[in-house]
Amino acid sequence: MITKEKSAITKAKSLEAERKSNSPPKSQADNYQGISPLRRRLLAGILPAVLLPLVIGGLLGYKMTESRARNQVVRKLEADALLGSKTINAFIRDSFNLASLVAANPDVIQLMRQGSDLAHEQQLIQQPILVLENEYTTRKLLTIDDNLNSYLEDIVESTAAAEIVLTESHGFNIAYSSIISDFVQSDEEWWKEAEAEGKIFEEPDEVEEPGELEELEEPEQSKKSEKGNLMAFAQAVRDPQSSKFLGVVKVDIPLKRLNSDLATYLHGANKDSVPIFQIFESDSGLILSNIEGTLQPTENQELNLEDAEVLGGKPIIEVAQILVEAAENSLSMAEAEKSIGKQSGISQVNLHEEKIFAKNSLVTSFKYQDQIFSISTVPETDFVSTSVIDYGVVASATRNLLAVFALTTIALGAIASSIIILLTKRFAKPLEELSEKTQQVRELLQEQKVLTEEQRQEKENLEIAIHKLINEVSDAT
């Protein structure tokens, strides 16, 4: 019987040992569970908080820099348009100064007086123009003063002038730099307007072609401009004492000098690229200057304007007319800007006022047909100066800026991420070590609990076996 009890106790111990052997071993990974998630949680919280402001700041910086880049292009374009307005304004002023210089010559004043007296004496005023033209066919002069003619020739040779003509108070020629086709000038619009207004200039389409007489020598002919390639400046001459009208001085200036100056100035102001540039009359669209972006400046540059058209066509001409009206105070600045903005296809309108030789000039810039235009008025004229550049130039600069900001943001993000990862690793290490120790303590407590439970179970099994043995012994006795 005792043998049976021992066998039962042994069997109980064997079952307990088998239970222990069948329990799964704890893995090494379980010992470090919670370390990686801790670092991931730190990175998930810190990285977005750092990288998101960096990305937002990069986008805002890109937008601000893009706006500044566009404004810089517009300001440069406006400066070119103003440069054109200043150049033609100086061209007109200098041309009138040349006419004034001739008009102030005492010999010119004296000859005009003599010419007027001679016209009265010979009763030429009552003669039909055709009769006078047939009578003065050789020299086309009322009086002959070779010294004064030579003086005018010298001025033409030493200045930009192509031709200078003097008339007395009735429009009869009294001197010139080279022979011309008409003897009587009083029937010409420029002469009438000069007498009435004091001074005028004629646009190229209004200027008559200088006479091409067979007796002209080749050097003289080479100084003349073809029709449409020069401007005429006429100024009335008055007696210094009595202010009596004595006659008119007319000076013809080739536009090739204006174009040469403009090309030189524009290339000097634009080292990398020159915008497309035009000067035209706002009412008629008549082009005085047309400079392409690739044109290189040359001395006395002569451009073919016959086939040239206003860039942008009718809408740009209408904008120019609005500007001229505003410059003449027919429209307010606000009304002008609103009217320009209403033009089809025009956007991003900006209008402001500048000074050209102490005179007001209106300058506008806007986008039209994938191009940026800038137009500036020429004070006291109907001319406008226009500079144009493709919007692709701004877009290209914007793309370059985008690439720079993208690379900068990526680089800064990578640097920030690396620093954050290192800092997270550094700061998380003590926490990970604490977590590891805590886990180890937790495991030891768990093992102790399991061991206690095993001992309790063994004790119970042993008590059961002893109790059973006692019962069997009692039954046996």
Side-chain angles (χ1 to χ4, degrees):
M1 183 65 66
I2 294 173
T3 303
K4 289 182 180 180
E5 294 302 327
K6 289 182 178 179
S7 177
I9 293 171
T10 303
K11 185 176 180 181
K13 290 183 177 180
S14 176
L15 290 173
E16 183 64 22
E18 183 179 357
R19 184 183 65 79
K20 288 182 179 180
S21 64
N22 290 334
S23 61
K26 293 185 179 297
S27 65
Q28 187 70 17
D30 289 340
N31 293 333
Y32 296 97
Q33 184 178 8
I35 295 177
S36 294
L38 174 62
R39 190 177 301 172
R40 283 198 300 269
R41 286 196 297 272
L42 288 173
L43 291 176
I46 297 175
L47 273 179
V50 174
L51 294 181
L52 186 59
L54 185 63
V55 172
I56 294 175
L59 291 175
L60 291 176
Y62 163 70
K63 288 295 183 182
M64 293 174 62
T65 307
E66 178 194 21
S67 178
R68 284 198 297 267
R70 182 189 179 279
N71 291 337
Q72 185 177 2
V73 171
V74 171
R75 286 195 299 270
K76 186 67 185 71
L77 209 60
E78 290 179 349
D80 290 334
L82 272 173
L83 178 62
S85 294
K86 291 178 181 178
T87 303
I88 188 171
N89 191 272
F91 173 77
I92 294 173
R93 181 193 60 190
D94 294 343
S95 299
F96 276 124
N97 287 343
L98 180 58
S100 298
L101 177 66
V102 174
N105 190 315
D107 293 336
V108 170
I109 294 174
Q110 182 62 29
L111 189 61
M112 286 183 174
R113 289 171 179 161
Q114 294 175 359
S116 296
D117 294 340
L118 184 59
H120 279 290
E121 291 175 5
Q122 296 182 2
Q123 298 182 349
L124 300 180
I125 305 169
Q126 292 79 21
Q127 299 280 349
I129 292 178
L130 184 58
V131 172
L132 294 173
E133 292 290 352
N134 291 331
E135 183 177 350
Y136 291 88
T137 57
T138 305
R139 296 287 299 270
K140 304 291 184 178
L141 289 173
L142 177 61
T143 60
I144 306 298
D145 189 330
D146 291 332
N147 291 332
L148 190 54
N149 289 338
S150 298
Y151 165 71
L152 298 180
E153 290 175 12
D154 292 341
I155 292 178
V156 168
E157 292 295 331
S158 61
T159 65
E163 182 179 76
I164 301 176
V165 178
L166 306 180
T167 75
E168 49 77 63
S169 59
H170 305 98
F172 305 136
N173 298 336
I174 57 172
Y176 46 54
S177 59
S178 59
I179 190 169
I180 60 177
S181 58
D182 296 334
F183 169 66
V184 181
Q185 308 297 333
S186 59
D187 60 336
E188 303 291 346
E189 288 300 322
W190 61 263
W191 195 94
K192 296 176 183 178
E193 291 183 18
E195 180 187 18
E197 301 179 13
K199 64 180 182 180
I200 62 100
F201 64 83
E202 282 192 322
E203 299 160 9
D205 64 336
E206 299 173 341
V207 179
E208 291 188 353
E209 184 177 2
E212 298 180 356
L213 304 180
E214 294 181 357
E215 58 265 33
L216 285 173
E217 297 179 357
E218 187 65 24
E220 294 174 334
Q221 185 66 20
S222 64
K223 285 291 291 183
K224 291 183 178 289
S225 299
E226 296 179 358
K227 183 177 181 179
N229 284 338
L230 56 83
M231 288 181 67
F233 299 85
Q235 178 169 323
V237 180
R238 298 192 175 274
D239 191 298
Q241 284 78 35
S242 63
S243 297
K244 178 183 177 181
F245 175 67
L246 298 179
V248 174
V249 176
K250 183 171 81 94
V251 180
D252 291 343
I253 308 291
L255 286 178
K256 62 183 180 181
R257 179 59 181 268
L258 170 65
N259 290 316
S260 177
D261 290 345
L262 282 170
T264 301
Y265 297 154
L266 287 172
H267 277 274
N270 298 270
K271 302 298 182 183
D272 299 327
S273 62
V274 177
I276 304 174
F277 183 85
Q278 286 185 335
I279 294 177
F280 63 90
E281 204 273 334
S282 59
D283 287 336
S284 63
L286 172 71
I287 297 176
L288 273 67
S289 181
N290 184 57
I291 297 178
E292 300 291 342
T294 57
L295 186 63
Q296 295 297 322
T298 59
E299 182 66 22
N300 289 330
Q301 193 151 357
E302 186 167 8
L303 304 177
N304 181 16
L305 302 177
E306 294 181 0
D307 298 328
E309 297 181 354
V310 174
L311 294 170
K314 185 178 179 181
I316 303 304
I317 295 176
E318 291 177 352
V319 171
Q321 292 171 352
I322 293 172
L323 283 179
V324 171
E325 288 182 14
E328 295 173 348
N329 297 321
S330 298
L331 286 176
S332 67
M333 293 276 288
E335 290 173 337
E337 185 170 1
K338 185 176 181 181
S339 297
I340 293 172
K342 288 182 178 179
Q343 299 296 316
S344 177
I346 291 179
S347 60
Q348 301 177 13
V349 179
N350 179 42
L351 176 63
H352 58 95
E353 193 173 62
E354 296 287 345
K355 291 289 184 181
I356 296 180
F357 304 124
K359 298 176 181 177
N360 293 333
S361 173
L362 297 185
V363 183
T364 185
S365 59
F366 51 87
K367 182 182 178 183
Y368 177 67
Q369 291 185 345
D370 294 328
Q371 290 180 313
I372 299 179
F373 285 75
S374 181
I375 303 178
S376 170
T377 60
V378 180
E380 300 178 351
T381 73
D382 290 337
F383 298 137
V384 295
S385 172
T386 307
S387 55
V388 185
I389 196 168
D390 289 336
Y391 197 79
V393 174
V394 179
S396 176
T398 300
R399 286 193 296 270
N400 294 336
L401 287 172
L402 179 60
V404 170
F405 272 93
L407 292 175
T408 303
T409 302
I410 292 173
L412 291 176
I415 295 172
S417 299
S418 301
I419 294 174
I420 290 171
I421 290 172
L422 290 175
L423 292 175
T424 302
K425 183 177 180 181
R426 179 180 177 182
F427 293 146
K429 187 175 181 180
L431 296 176
E432 290 175 350
E433 291 177 352
L434 179 61
S435 176
E436 180 181 352
K437 296 299 182 181
T438 303
Q439 184 67 18
Q440 290 175 355
V441 171
R442 186 184 298 112
E443 291 175 354
L444 288 174
L445 292 175
Q446 182 66 25
E447 290 176 359
Q448 185 66 31
K449 182 178 180 181
V450 171
L451 182 61
T452 301
E453 180 65 23
E454 290 175 352
Q455 291 176 351
R456 186 188 65 77
Q457 188 68 35
E458 288 178 357
K459 181 180 178 181
E460 289 180 356
N461 292 335
L462 183 59
E463 288 176 350
I464 293 172
I466 292 173
H467 181 72
K468 186 176 180 180
L469 177 62
I470 294 171
N471 290 335
E472 289 179 354
V473 170
S474 298
D475 293 339
T477 57

